[in-house]
C-alpha cells in the first residue's frame, strides 16, 4: 500500500484567500504522486482545480475545522499533514493538530507560532537585530489613544487574526481612532486591536524563499509599485525590483536567510519589508506559501510549490537542482484584478483591506512595457493620447505636478478641479478647469459619461473618501475609463504610456523567457 499525505486546502474562495493557494495545493498533489505517495486533499470549494476528480487520489469535501480534519486523519492514517500551502486557514490548525499527535510536515508548529504570535515575533526580531515599525497591542478602548500618541500618528490599526486585511485602516488623528474603535466591537483579551506606526511613502517589498533546513534560496524579491499601506494582495509588483539598489537588496537577502535559519523553515516562507529613509523595516513573516508563489514560479520557470512539497518529505534542494536565486533578465509585473463592476455603488480605492479577486502578469525586457501589458491584461487599456483628469489629496500634489508635467509633455490635455489645477499652473502646465460635482455642470462625471476623459487619476482624501470623489471613481469604472487611485501607481502608468508611445509591445510565450534564463542570455 502506498504511503499517504493529507493536504489541507484553503477552503471557500473569498477575498483575501483564493486561487493562488489552490494552485499550491494542486502542485503539492502532483509532486506527491511523482514521488510515489497518495495525495489526499481536504477542501470545501467546488470552484477550484484542487477539488477536481482527477487532481488527487482522494478528496474530502469537508470544512477545514479541527474536528472534521481529525475525523479524516483518523480514517486515513497518513504519514503527515501539509498545512503551509493553503493560506492562513490550514496554518491556524497546525498547533491544535500537533497537540493531538498529528505530524505536521515541513516547518514546525512552534516556528509557525513564533512568527504568528506578536510578542514571540518581537523577541525573534530583537534576537536577530532586525527592525520593525513601533507597535503595540491594546485590549481596552482607553488604552488605544495613549498608544497612538506614544507611537505618533499616522498609525495602522487592525483586529488580530484577520484574513485579507479585513478591518485594517490607516488612522491620522484621535477622532478617526475613536470612530474606528466604535466599529471594532471585538476588543477583548481574545480579540485585541493591533496598532502599528504607519510608514508613509515607504516602498514595500515582498520576498518569497524556500529552504530545506540546510540550503536557503531566495525565490524572488518583489517591489510593490504602490506605496506601503496598500494590501499586498492588491498591490501591483515587479520582479526583479526596478528602483532598489543592490546594497538594499543584499540587506534584504541577508535578513531573509537569517529569519529562515532561526525559524528552521522547511518549505516556503514569505516576508514583507518596508524601506524608508535608508532603513529596512520588517512588517510580517509568514512561514507558509504566499499568494505570490504562483507568480514567481511562472516568472522564473521553477515550480516552487512542488519543490516545497518534496522538501517536506525529506528531499534536499541540492537533489532538486535549485540552490541559487534566479533573477530574470526581464521584468515581470503582477497586477491585481478587482470586482468593482460587479458591485455597483462600492467605492473604488486601494487600502490596507484587500479587495482584489485575481491577478494578471505582464512580461517584457522593458519595465514600462511590462507594466503596460499587465494593465491591459487587467482591463485597463492605457491611452497613448487624449484627455487626463487629475484630482489628488494635498499630500500628493507635489508628485502629481511631476506626473501632470510628464503627461503634458507626452501630448495629453490635462483636466483638473480648481485646487489641483492651481498647483499645476505654477509649473507652467496648461490646465482645463473642471467644476466640482456640487458646483455646476458639466462637471467631471458628465465628462466621463460623454467619453471626454481617457485616463483618470484620483487619490482619496482621508480615511473616509468624500462623496464627490467616490462618484468620480464609480463613473470611471462604469464607463471603462482607466483609473489610478495612488500617486505611485500614476507614476508607473506614465512610465507604461511613455514606453508604448516609443514602441508598441510584442508578445511571445513565457516558455521563451524561461529559455533565456536557461541559456543565460540577454534579451
Amino acid at each position: 500500500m502506498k504511503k499517504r499525505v493529507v493536504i489541507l486546502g484553503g477552503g471557500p474562495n473569498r477575498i483575501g484567500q483564493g486561487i493562488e493557494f489552490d494552485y499550491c495545493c494542486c502542485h503539492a498533489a502532483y509532486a506527491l504522486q511523482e514521488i510515489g505517495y497518495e495525495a489526499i486533499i481536504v477542501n470545501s470549494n467546488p470552484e477550484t482545480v484542487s477539488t477536481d476528480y482527477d487532481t488527487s487520489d482522494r478528496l474530502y469535501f469537508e470544512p477545514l475545522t479541527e474536528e472534521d480534519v481529525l475525523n479524516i486523519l483518523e480514517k486515513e492514517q497518513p504519514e503527515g499533514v501539509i498545512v503551509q500551502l493553503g493560506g492562513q486557514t490550514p496554518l491556524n490548525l497546525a498547533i491544535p493538530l500537533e497537540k493531538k499527535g498529528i505530524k505536521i510536515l515541513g516547518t514546525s508548529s512552534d516556528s509557525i507560532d513564533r512568527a504568528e504570535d506578536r510578542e514571540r515575533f518581537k523577541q525573534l526580531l530583537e534576537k536577530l537585530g532586525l527592525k520593525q515599525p513601533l507597535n503595540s497591542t491594546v485590549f481596552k478602548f482607553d488604552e488605544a489613544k495613549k498608544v497612538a500618541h506614544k507611537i505618533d500618528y499616522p498609525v495602522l490599526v487592525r483586529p488580530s487574526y484577520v484574513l485579507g486585511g479585513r478591518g485594517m485602516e490607516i488612522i491620522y488623528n484621535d477622532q478617526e481612532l475613536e470612530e474606528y474603535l466604535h466599529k471594532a466591537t471585538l476588543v477583548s483579551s481574545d480579540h485585541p486591536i493591533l496598532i502599528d506606526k504607519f510608514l508613509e511613502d515607504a516602498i514595500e517589498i515582498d520576498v518569497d524563499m524556500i529552504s530545506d533546513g540546510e540550503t536557503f534560496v531566495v525565490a524572488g524579491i518583489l517591489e510593490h509599485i504602490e506605496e506601503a499601506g496598500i494590501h499586498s494582495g492588491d498591490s501591483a509588483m515587479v520582479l526583479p525590483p526596478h528602483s532598489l539598489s543592490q546594497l538594499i537588496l543584499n540587506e534584504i537577502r541577508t535578513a531573509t536567510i537569517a529569519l529562515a535559519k532561526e525559524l528552521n523553515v522547511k518549505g516556503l516562507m514569505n516576508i514583507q519589508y518596508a524601506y524608508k529613509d535608508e532603513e529596512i523595516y520588517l512588517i510580517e513573516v509568514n512561514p507558509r506559501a504566499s499568494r505570490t508563489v504562483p507568480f514567481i514560479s511562472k516568472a522564473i520557470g521553477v515550480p516552487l510549490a512542488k519543490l516545497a512539497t518534496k522538501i517536506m518529505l525529506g528531499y534536499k534542494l541540492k537533489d532538486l537542482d535549485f540552490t541559487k536565486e534566479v533573477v530574470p533578465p526581464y521584468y515581470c509585473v503582477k497586477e491585481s484584478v478587482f470586482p468593482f463592476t460587479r458591485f455597483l455603488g462600492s467605492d473604488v480605492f486601494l487600502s490596507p483591506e484587500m479587495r482584489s479577486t485575481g491577478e494578471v502578469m505582464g512580461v517584457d525586457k522593458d519595465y514600462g512595457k511590462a507594466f503596460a501589458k499587465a494593465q491591459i491584461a487587467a482591463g485597463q487599456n492605457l491611452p497613448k493620447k487624449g484627455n487626463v483628469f487629475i484630482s489628488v489629496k494635498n499630500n500628493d500634489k507635489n508628485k502629481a505636478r511631476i506626473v501632470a508635467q510628464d503627461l503634458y509633455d507626452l501630448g495629453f490635455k490635462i483636466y483638473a478641479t480648481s485646487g489641483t489645477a492651481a498647483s499645476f499652473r505654477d509649473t507652467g502646465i496648461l490646465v482645463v478647469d473642471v467644476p466640482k460635482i456640487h458646483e455646476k455642470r458639466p462637471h467631471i462625471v458628465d465628462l466621463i459619461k460623454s467619453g471626454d476623459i481617457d485616463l483618470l487619476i484620483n487619490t482619496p482624501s482621508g480615511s473616509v473618501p468624500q462623496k464627490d470623489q467616490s462618484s468620480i471613481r464609480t463613473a470611471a469604472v462604469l464607463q471603462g475609463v482607466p483609473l489610478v487611485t495612488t500617486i505611485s501607481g500614476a507614476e508607473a502608468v506614465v512610465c507604461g504610456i511613455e514606453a508604448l508611445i516609443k514602441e508598441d509591445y510584442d508578445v511571445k510565450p513565457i516558455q521563451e523567457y524561461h529559455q533565456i534564463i536557461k541559456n543565460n542570455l540577454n534579451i
Side-chain angles (χ1 to χ4, degrees):
M1 183 183 290
K2 285 184 179 180
K3 294 180 179 179
R4 304 166 181 173
V5 170
V6 169
I7 304 161
L8 299 186
N13 275 4
R14 61 261 197 223
I15 291 176
Q17 185 156 312
I19 206 69
E20 302 91 344
F21 299 116
D22 197 65
Y23 166 101
C24 293
C25 291
C26 290
H27 276 232
Y30 305 150
L32 288 169
Q33 290 163 347
E34 283 174 13
I35 59 176
Y37 284 79
E38 280 193 1
I40 300 164
I41 286 180
V42 182
N43 200 11
S44 52
N45 188 347
E47 294 295 323
T48 59
V49 182
S50 70
T51 54
D52 282 358
Y53 72 93
D54 57 351
T55 297
S56 58
D57 293 284
R58 265 190 305 292
L59 167 69
Y60 284 88
F61 201 84
E62 299 293 338
L64 286 148
T65 65
E66 182 183 345
E67 182 181 2
D68 288 288
V69 170
L70 283 171
N71 287 338
I72 293 165
L73 298 178
E74 184 180 359
K75 174 178 172 56
E76 289 291 347
Q77 296 296 306
E79 296 294 302
V81 179
I82 295 175
V83 299
Q84 63 173 263
L85 299 179
Q88 194 64 36
T89 300
L91 203 71
N92 290 341
L93 293 173
I95 292 175
L97 291 178
E98 195 159 72
K99 284 180 179 176
K100 296 288 170 63
I102 304 300
K103 183 179 180 181
I104 303 298
L105 296 175
T107 307
S108 72
S109 61
D110 182 63
S111 291
I112 292 169
D113 189 59
R114 284 182 77 188
E116 299 273 319
D117 182 89
R118 190 82 160 180
E119 288 307 312
R120 295 189 75 189
F121 182 59
K122 192 179 287 189
Q123 291 165 13
L124 170 66
L125 298 190
E126 286 172 0
K127 179 178 178 181
L128 297 175
L130 300 173
K131 292 184 178 180
Q132 69 176 149
L134 293 172
N135 62 81
S136 188
T137 304
V138 298
F139 297 91
K140 296 179 181 177
F141 287 145
D142 54 4
E143 295 174 6
K145 282 186 183 178
K146 292 178 184 176
V147 167
H149 284 202
K150 184 180 177 182
I151 291 175
D152 196 18
Y153 290 110
V155 295
L156 182 68
V157 294
R158 54 185 164 146
S160 61
Y161 306 107
V162 297
L163 181 67
R166 281 202 301 269
M168 270 191 181
E169 282 189 26
I170 299 165
I171 302 295
Y172 289 88
N173 52 52
D174 285 349
Q175 182 182 344
E176 290 181 9
L177 181 64
E178 193 168 337
E179 289 171 1
Y180 176 86
L181 292 173
H182 279 303
K183 287 189 292 181
T185 54
L186 296 175
V187 183
S188 68
S189 58
D190 293 325
H191 300 280
I193 292 289
L194 310 180
I195 302 181
D196 296 77
K197 173 65 180 173
F198 174 60
L199 303 173
E200 281 193 290
D201 298 320
I203 297 172
E204 198 163 333
I205 301 122
D206 257 78
V207 182
D208 282 320
M209 72 93 56
I210 188 167
S211 161
D212 59 16
E214 296 173 8
T215 305
F216 303 86
V217 182
V218 171
I221 301 176
L222 295 162
E223 179 182 344
H224 289 217
I225 291 169
E226 283 84 13
E227 66 271 12
I230 307 302
H231 193 281
S232 62
D234 287 354
S235 289
M237 302 182 194
V238 58
L239 170 76
H242 73 110
S243 73
L244 298 171
S245 70
Q246 281 303 317
L247 182 66
I248 296 303
L249 294 176
N250 287 336
E251 279 188 49
I252 288 169
R253 290 183 178 104
T254 301
T256 299
I257 290 170
L259 278 159
K261 284 181 177 177
E262 182 64 28
L263 291 171
N264 193 26
V265 171
K266 290 181 181 174
L268 290 160
M269 178 176 77
N270 170 263
I271 304 178
Q272 291 171 20
Y273 296 93
Y275 176 64
K276 179 179 170 68
D277 299 332
E278 307 299 318
E279 296 281 0
I280 295 170
Y281 297 88
L282 205 145
I283 299 174
E284 191 175 6
V285 174
N286 294 305
R288 58 169 170 82
S290 72
R291 59 176 58 83
T292 50
V293 163
F295 174 80
I296 293 177
S297 297
K298 290 171 189 282
I300 66 174
V302 177
L304 295 170
K306 274 190 173 185
L307 299 190
T309 302
K310 291 177 181 179
I311 285 168
M312 292 180 222
L313 273 301
Y315 283 69
K316 299 296 181 185
L317 283 167
K318 290 176 184 176
D319 305 329
L320 302 168
D321 198 27
F322 186 63
T323 56
K324 291 183 180 178
E325 178 184 356
V326 176
V327 180
Y330 47 81
Y331 290 102
C332 301
V333 173
K334 178 184 87 70
E335 182 57 283
S336 299
V337 178
F338 298 91
F340 297 123
T341 54
R342 309 276 177 166
F343 297 97
L344 300 182
S346 64
D347 194 10
V348 183
F349 68 100
L350 303 182
S351 73
E353 185 169 345
M354 185 173 167
R355 295 172 173 219
S356 63
T357 52
E359 60 188 43
V360 294
M361 179 177 185
V363 186
D364 203 282
K365 62 183 179 180
D366 179 83
Y367 164 66
K369 284 187 186 176
F371 181 82
K373 285 180 178 180
Q375 295 305 304
I376 293 165
Q380 297 239 77
N381 290 308
L382 300 183
K384 296 181 186 178
K385 60 182 181 179
N387 303 327
V388 180
F389 174 79
I390 304 175
S391 178
V392 298
K393 61 187 178 186
N394 289 332
N395 291 353
D396 289 337
K397 281 184 178 170
N398 287 334
K399 289 184 177 179
R401 271 196 289 268
I402 298 169
V403 168
Q405 184 68 62
D406 289 343
L407 288 167
Y408 183 71
D409 291 344
L410 289 170
F412 284 87
K413 193 172 183 179
I414 308 299
Y415 289 68
T417 48
S418 55
T420 304
S423 71
F424 289 171
R425 287 199 184 92
D426 295 342
T427 59
I429 303 171
L430 294 178
V431 188
V432 177
D433 276 85
V434 180
K436 293 180 180 177
I437 291 174
H438 63 271
E439 291 175 347
K440 63 178 182 179
R441 307 186 81 158
H443 48 59
I444 182 56
V445 172
D446 294 327
L447 293 178
I448 292 169
K449 288 180 177 178
S450 61
D452 292 324
I453 301 298
D454 301 289
L455 174 65
L456 195 146
I457 299 169
N458 174 242
T459 61
S461 302
S463 61
V464 182
Q466 296 172 7
K467 188 175 180 181
D468 278 13
Q469 296 177 5
S470 178
S471 300
I472 292 167
R473 290 190 291 272
T474 300
V477 169
L478 292 175
Q479 297 300 316
V481 177
L483 169 67
V484 188
T485 63
T486 65
I487 202 66
S488 50
E491 292 167 343
V493 162
V494 170
C495 187
I497 290 172
E498 191 172 9
L500 290 178
I501 289 173
K502 285 180 181 175
E503 182 186 22
D504 205 1
Y505 65 86
D506 59 356
V507 178
K508 57 185 169 187
I510 198 167
Q511 289 81 0
E512 287 190 25
Y513 287 103
H514 294 165
Q515 195 60 46
I516 293 166
I517 292 175
K518 289 176 184 175
N519 296 340
N520 198 23
L521 297 174
N522 292 321
I523 295 179

Short mmCIF file of all heavy atoms in Angstrom, two decimals, residues 207-210 217-221 239 268 296 300 304 322 325-328:
data_model
loop_
_atom_site.label_atom_id
_atom_site.label_comp_id
_atom_site.label_asym_id
_atom_site.label_seq_id
_atom_site.Cartn_x
_atom_site.Cartn_y
_atom_site.Cartn_z
N VAL A 207 9.12 39.17 -0.22
CA VAL A 207 10.16 38.19 -0.53
C VAL A 207 9.63 36.79 -0.26
O VAL A 207 9.10 36.52 0.82
CB VAL A 207 11.43 38.41 0.33
CG1 VAL A 207 12.52 37.41 -0.06
CG2 VAL A 207 11.95 39.84 0.18
N ASP A 208 9.74 35.93 -1.26
CA ASP A 208 9.45 34.51 -1.06
C ASP A 208 10.76 33.75 -1.05
O ASP A 208 11.67 34.06 -1.84
CB ASP A 208 8.55 33.98 -2.18
CG ASP A 208 7.09 34.37 -1.98
OD1 ASP A 208 6.63 34.33 -0.82
OD2 ASP A 208 6.42 34.72 -2.96
N MET A 209 10.88 32.80 -0.15
CA MET A 209 12.09 31.99 -0.11
C MET A 209 11.74 30.54 0.17
O MET A 209 10.65 30.24 0.67
CB MET A 209 13.08 32.54 0.91
CG MET A 209 12.75 32.36 2.36
SD MET A 209 13.50 30.87 2.98
CE MET A 209 15.22 31.18 2.59
N ILE A 210 12.67 29.65 -0.18
CA ILE A 210 12.46 28.22 0.01
C ILE A 210 13.68 27.65 0.71
O ILE A 210 14.81 28.07 0.45
CB ILE A 210 12.18 27.51 -1.34
CG1 ILE A 210 11.76 26.06 -1.13
CG2 ILE A 210 13.36 27.63 -2.30
CD1 ILE A 210 11.17 25.41 -2.39
N VAL A 217 17.32 29.48 -0.20
CA VAL A 217 17.32 30.14 -1.51
C VAL A 217 16.20 31.17 -1.57
O VAL A 217 15.03 30.85 -1.33
CB VAL A 217 17.14 29.12 -2.65
CG1 VAL A 217 17.19 29.83 -4.01
CG2 VAL A 217 18.22 28.04 -2.58
N VAL A 218 16.55 32.41 -1.89
CA VAL A 218 15.55 33.44 -2.15
C VAL A 218 14.92 33.13 -3.50
O VAL A 218 15.61 33.06 -4.53
CB VAL A 218 16.17 34.85 -2.15
CG1 VAL A 218 15.16 35.89 -2.63
CG2 VAL A 218 16.68 35.21 -0.74
N ALA A 219 13.62 32.90 -3.50
CA ALA A 219 12.92 32.56 -4.75
C ALA A 219 12.64 33.79 -5.58
O ALA A 219 12.69 33.76 -6.81
CB ALA A 219 11.62 31.83 -4.43
N GLY A 220 12.35 34.91 -4.91
CA GLY A 220 12.07 36.13 -5.65
C GLY A 220 11.88 37.31 -4.73
O GLY A 220 11.35 37.16 -3.62
N ILE A 221 12.34 38.49 -5.16
CA ILE A 221 12.13 39.74 -4.42
C ILE A 221 11.23 40.62 -5.28
O ILE A 221 11.57 40.96 -6.41
CB ILE A 221 13.46 40.46 -4.13
CG1 ILE A 221 14.39 39.56 -3.31
CG2 ILE A 221 13.21 41.77 -3.39
CD1 ILE A 221 15.77 40.15 -3.06
N LEU A 239 9.09 42.14 -10.54
CA LEU A 239 10.22 41.25 -10.30
C LEU A 239 11.09 41.26 -11.55
O LEU A 239 10.59 41.02 -12.65
CB LEU A 239 9.72 39.82 -10.04
CG LEU A 239 10.78 38.70 -10.01
CD1 LEU A 239 11.54 38.75 -8.70
CD2 LEU A 239 10.16 37.32 -10.19
N LEU A 268 8.29 26.67 2.24
CA LEU A 268 8.21 28.05 1.77
C LEU A 268 8.03 29.04 2.91
O LEU A 268 7.50 28.70 3.97
CB LEU A 268 7.05 28.20 0.78
CG LEU A 268 7.26 27.51 -0.58
CD1 LEU A 268 5.93 27.29 -1.27
CD2 LEU A 268 8.20 28.31 -1.46
N ILE A 296 5.77 34.10 -8.95
CA ILE A 296 7.22 33.94 -9.03
C ILE A 296 7.58 32.65 -9.76
O ILE A 296 8.53 32.62 -10.56
CB ILE A 296 7.84 33.97 -7.61
CG1 ILE A 296 7.68 35.37 -7.01
CG2 ILE A 296 9.31 33.59 -7.64
CD1 ILE A 296 8.20 35.50 -5.59
N ILE A 300 10.08 32.78 -13.06
CA ILE A 300 11.43 32.21 -13.13
C ILE A 300 11.45 30.80 -13.70
O ILE A 300 12.52 30.22 -13.90
CB ILE A 300 12.12 32.23 -11.75
CG1 ILE A 300 11.41 31.30 -10.74
CG2 ILE A 300 12.21 33.65 -11.21
CD1 ILE A 300 12.13 31.17 -9.40
N LEU A 304 7.82 26.18 -7.53
CA LEU A 304 8.22 26.29 -6.11
C LEU A 304 7.37 25.42 -5.19
O LEU A 304 7.89 24.82 -4.25
CB LEU A 304 8.13 27.76 -5.68
CG LEU A 304 9.10 28.72 -6.38
CD1 LEU A 304 8.75 30.16 -6.07
CD2 LEU A 304 10.53 28.42 -5.99
N PHE A 322 18.03 23.14 -7.25
CA PHE A 322 17.64 24.54 -7.09
C PHE A 322 18.36 25.08 -5.85
O PHE A 322 17.85 24.98 -4.74
CB PHE A 322 16.12 24.68 -6.95
CG PHE A 322 15.65 26.12 -6.93
CD1 PHE A 322 15.83 26.94 -8.04
CD2 PHE A 322 15.02 26.65 -5.82
CE1 PHE A 322 15.40 28.26 -8.04
CE2 PHE A 322 14.57 27.97 -5.79
CZ PHE A 322 14.76 28.78 -6.91
N GLU A 325 19.43 31.72 -6.23
CA GLU A 325 18.35 32.63 -6.63
C GLU A 325 18.40 32.87 -8.14
O GLU A 325 19.47 33.05 -8.72
CB GLU A 325 18.50 33.96 -5.90
CG GLU A 325 17.45 34.99 -6.27
CD GLU A 325 17.68 36.34 -5.60
OE1 GLU A 325 18.62 36.46 -4.78
OE2 GLU A 325 16.93 37.28 -5.91
N VAL A 326 17.24 32.84 -8.75
CA VAL A 326 17.13 33.14 -10.19
C VAL A 326 16.61 34.56 -10.33
O VAL A 326 15.49 34.87 -9.90
CB VAL A 326 16.17 32.16 -10.90
CG1 VAL A 326 15.98 32.56 -12.35
CG2 VAL A 326 16.69 30.73 -10.80
N VAL A 327 17.42 35.45 -10.90
CA VAL A 327 16.99 36.83 -11.16
C VAL A 327 16.76 36.96 -12.66
O VAL A 327 17.73 36.96 -13.43
CB VAL A 327 18.04 37.85 -10.68
CG1 VAL A 327 17.55 39.28 -10.96
CG2 VAL A 327 18.34 37.67 -9.20
N PRO A 328 15.52 37.03 -13.10
CA PRO A 328 15.27 37.02 -14.55
C PRO A 328 15.83 38.26 -15.23
O PRO A 328 15.77 39.37 -14.66
CB PRO A 328 13.74 36.98 -14.65
CG PRO A 328 13.23 37.45 -13.32
CD PRO A 328 14.27 37.08 -12.32
#
